[in-house]
């Protein structure tokens, strides 16, 4: 067997400054004079320098660099790009503070840099965290990169295929610089919202200890994030949000976000309201839907709707997208910015159920797109009873996002300010680019799959970590941090808890004395003309012969210059004569139905494999 050998060029990590300088000079003089692999590297380097979001040194400056300065410039540029693409892998998103595995690509040596370079001046190029601050030394740059990409939020953006979108995302994210701190007033409000959510769960656990409720405990900052998104939505042109979600936190969010009254919640658990079964019975509280109109603090209004969802968790995705598409048409929302879908997922279901991938595949198709969905994975770190390592192959539960190149923000539930910032950023991206965006909301759950499960059987470490003995919860921890900062004192927290407890207790007593219909009446808005009672009365569906004649005439009307398939032309001619022949098959009747509906002003949407 014949074999050939060729010299292996040293890797970039092994190049010394003199060798790198000589090769780059040769490349500038004659690209064909050096080996193809090294020439390819320099082509890529020059291309990166020429881009607006490019490297640590401009193309003009690069020609003036030589030797060790060029090595430092190349390494700095490479290090910045590594943090932009891989920094999320070391982000501090674990709610228990456990360290993550170190990533080799984020070390200095991976970019031909060393500790000896840390106090040298570098050019950070387009990296401008926190409104223009420019780290002067490599040490300062590394600190700024870690603060930006490796703290409470991990930005997973390298899979976004559009250069413009990725540049916008990087720019917006780097403006935070890892500092998501809101104003003291806002942080106090986040605390009040979370206290309200926590106190509801504590009361439900006390009064209905034998009931399943799939509590939100361990993820209460979700309330602050959703409220921030909803309050910001009208300013972004949104008039209506359609929500789909599984069980976890559903009862709490109905009361804390969507506007369901405490009396309605308690009546549902009492099971004391006995109205018509088709309107009020037949399902459990954590499957129920809701709809209503909410006024934001700015005085604007937004319609909210939560679709009912049974235990087939992700099956709600297609239902929500279909509802949004229909409502966009009714509102003449041709830009798909007035009505938006918000899908919430469990960490096991989002990666484990094929309905997610199927719906994502439709996300940008002309016949199905809703202009982008905001996805929120409520990540308990354990799906039903299965831990992360045994429940999926991929790094994250949100990795289906990669198949459509959607950005993903991984955020720890223990930092409400970061949660709120990410929810607002997701809305901003969705409205600007009208594409899907994912939030991996990393939290924990206080109990098992539901309150009756014993978590210690299958997750003993988790059971110990989330026990009241070892974990007071994210709400109390957040309030302590605010108290230490002089923002929201222990007295403020106590007063707020006592106020909410009194409100809950009064609502509980009222619901016992006078049960309240737990369901919003279905006959509202566009449905108000529909009767609630079933009837056997015949409905007139006939149309006039003149209308049918107009439809039949249209069957053989084609655009000028359109070359009609001969077989189809015969079919069109036959359908044009239907009023004369009076011989109809099912397909003929369907076509006549479509035509008459259109002439009466009703939209007809046809979908399926052969519809096009």
């Amino acid at each position: 067997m014949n074999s050939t050998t060729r010299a292996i060029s040293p890797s970039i990590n092994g190049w010394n400054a003199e060798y790198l300088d000589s090769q780059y000079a040769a490349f500038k003089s004659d690209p064909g004079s050096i080996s193809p692999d090294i020439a390819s590297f320099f082509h890529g380097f020059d291309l990166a320098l020429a881009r607006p979001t490019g490297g640590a040194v401009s193309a003009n400056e690069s020609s003036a660099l030589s030797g060790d300065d060029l090595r430092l410039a190349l390494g700095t540029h490479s290090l910045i790009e590594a943090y932009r693409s891989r920094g999320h892998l070391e982000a501090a998103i674990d709610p228990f503070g456990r360290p993550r595995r170190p990533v080799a690509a984020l070390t200095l040596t991976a970019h031909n840099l060393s500790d000896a370079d840390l106090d040298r001046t570098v050019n950070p190029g387009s990296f401008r965290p926190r409104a223009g601050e420019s780290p002067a030394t490599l040490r300062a740059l590394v600190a700024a990169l870690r603060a930006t990409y490796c703290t409470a939020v991990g930005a997973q953006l390298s899979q976004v295929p559009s250069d413009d979108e990725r540049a916008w995302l990087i720019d917006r994210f780097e403006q935070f610089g890892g500092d998501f701190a809101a104003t003291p007033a806002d942080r106090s409000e986040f605390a009040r919202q979370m206290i309200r959510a926590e106190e509801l769960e504590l009361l439900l656990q006390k009064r209905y200890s034998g009931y399943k409720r799939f509590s939100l405990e361990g993820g209460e900052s979700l309330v602050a994030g959703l409220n921030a998104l909803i309050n910001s939505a009208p300013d972004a042109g949104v008039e209506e949000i359609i929500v789909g979600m599984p069980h976890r936190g559903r009862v709490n969010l109905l009361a804390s976000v969507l506007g369901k009254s405490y009396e309605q919640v308690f009546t549902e658990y009492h099971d004391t309201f006995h109205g018509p079964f088709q309107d009020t019975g037949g399902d459990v509280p954590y499957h129920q839907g809701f709809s209503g109109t909410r006024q934001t603090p700015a005085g604007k209004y937004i319609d909210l709707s939560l679709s009912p969802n049974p235990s087939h968790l992700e099956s709600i995705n297609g239902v929500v997208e279909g509802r949004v598409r229909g409502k966009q048409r009714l509102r003449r929302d041709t830009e798909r910015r007035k009505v938006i879908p918000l899908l919430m997922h469990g960490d096991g279901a989002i990666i484990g159920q094929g309905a997610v991938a199927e719906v994502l595949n439709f996300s940008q198709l002309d016949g199905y797109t809703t202009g982008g969905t905001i996805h929120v994975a409520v990540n308990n770190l354990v799906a039903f009873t299965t831990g992360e390592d045994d429940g999926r192959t991929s790094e994250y539960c949100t990795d289906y996002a990669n198949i459509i190149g959607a950005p993903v923000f991984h955020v720890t539930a223990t930092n409400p300010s970061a949660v709120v910032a990410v929810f607002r950023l997701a809305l901003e991206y969705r409205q600007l680019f009208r594409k899907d965006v994912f939030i991996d909301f990393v939290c924990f759950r206080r109990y098992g799959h539901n309150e009756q499960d014993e978590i210690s059987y299958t997750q003993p470490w988790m059971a110990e970590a989330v026990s009241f003995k070892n974990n007071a919860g994210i709400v109390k921890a957040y309030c302590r941090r605010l108290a230490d900062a002089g923002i929201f004192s222990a007295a403020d927290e106590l007063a707020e808890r006592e106020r909410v407890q009194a409100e809950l207790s009064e609502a509980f007593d009222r619901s016992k004395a006078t049960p309240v219909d737990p369901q919003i009446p279905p006959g509202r808005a566009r449905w108000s003309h529909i009767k609630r009672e079933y009837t056997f009365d015949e409905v007139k569906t006939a149309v006039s012969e003149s209308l049918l004649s107009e439809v039949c005439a249209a069957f053989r009307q084609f655009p000028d210059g359109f070359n009609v398939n001969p077989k189809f032309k015969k079919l069109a001619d036959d359908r044009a004569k239907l009023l004369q022949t009076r011989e109809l098959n099912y397909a003929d009747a369907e076509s006549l139905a479509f035509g008459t509906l259109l002439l009466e002003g009703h939209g007809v949407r046809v979908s399926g494999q052969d519809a096009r």
Side-chain angles (χ1 to χ4, degrees), residues 11 98 111 133 144 166 171 183 203 218 234 303 314 320 327 343 345 378 429 442 471 489 505 531 535 540 558 572-573:
S11 70
R98 294 171 295 179
H111 307 280
E133 291 182 15
R166 192 165 61 255
D171 180 66
T183 66
L203 183 141
D303 293 330
E314 301 295 342
V320 167
K327 286 174 176 283
L343 288 176
H345 314 265
V378 180
Y429 173 84
V442 189
N471 196 316
S489 68
S505 181
K531 296 179 180 179
T535 176
K540 182 181 178 181
F558 301 101
D573 290 339

Side-chain angles (χ1 to χ4, degrees), residues 92 94-97 152 180-182 184 187-188 190-191 194 221 411-419 444 471-490 493:
D94 184 83
F96 304 110
F180 302 96
R187 296 171 76 183
S188 296
F190 301 159
M194 292 164 63
S221 57
V411 58
T412 175
T414 59
N415 189 325
S417 296
V419 171
F444 62 85
N471 196 316
I474 67 172
V475 183
K476 289 186 180 297
Y478 184 60
C479 288
R480 279 199 299 268
R481 294 202 301 273
L482 295 188
D484 292 342
I487 294 174
F488 191 75
S489 68
E493 179 189 355

Side-chain angles (χ1 to χ4, degrees), residues 531-551:
K531 296 179 180 179
R532 296 162 65 95
E533 298 77 19
Y534 184 81
T535 176
F536 288 96
D537 295 344
E538 291 187 4
V539 178
K540 182 181 178 181
T541 61
V543 296
S544 67
E545 188 167 334
S546 63
L547 197 66
L548 288 172
S549 178
E550 186 175 352
V551 174

